[in-house]
Amino acid sequence: IGTIAFQVTICMQIDDFWFYWSHRLLHHRSIYKYIHKKHHEFRHTIPIAVEYAHPVEDFISNTVSTLLGPFILRSHLLGMLL
């Protein structure tokens, strides 16, 4: 249990770190209008608006941030499901 709790805690930190910096990168003026602007076109503050994104943004900010921690820590597949 100690190892799982440690890995989940570290994975949460890695996820948050990656998401924050990748999201800031997507606001860079050279790529904002091509990728991230779609996310800001949704005008209502409802939970589904979080998922309203360009596929590249979804991969960079959401998918990679979720999988990066378990990949770095070489977590067991079942640990990733937590």
Side-chain angles (χ1 to χ4, degrees):
I1 292 238
T3 301
I4 292 173
F6 171 76
Q7 287 187 358
V8 168
T9 301
I10 297 301
C11 285
M12 288 170 50
Q13 296 295 318
I14 291 170
D15 180 279
D16 193 50
F17 179 85
W18 181 268
F19 181 82
Y20 174 80
W21 287 105
S22 65
H23 188 217
R24 280 195 61 142
L25 175 69
L26 290 169
H27 276 267
H28 190 274
R29 63 182 149 180
S30 66
I31 59 176
Y32 175 81
K33 65 182 175 182
Y34 302 109
I35 298 173
H36 192 60
K37 186 176 180 180
K38 179 175 177 139
H39 169 72
H40 287 284
E41 289 173 350
F42 206 97
R43 297 291 178 208
H44 305 287
T45 54
I46 59 173
I48 195 68
V50 172
E51 299 302 324
Y52 187 70
H54 188 280
V56 172
E57 176 182 0
D58 182 52
F59 180 75
I60 291 172
S61 286
N62 301 332
T63 305
V64 172
S65 68
T66 301
L67 298 176
L68 189 60
F71 179 77
I72 290 172
L73 296 176
R74 300 178 184 235
S75 300
H76 188 276
L77 180 60
L78 294 176
M80 287 177 57
L81 297 175
L82 294 175

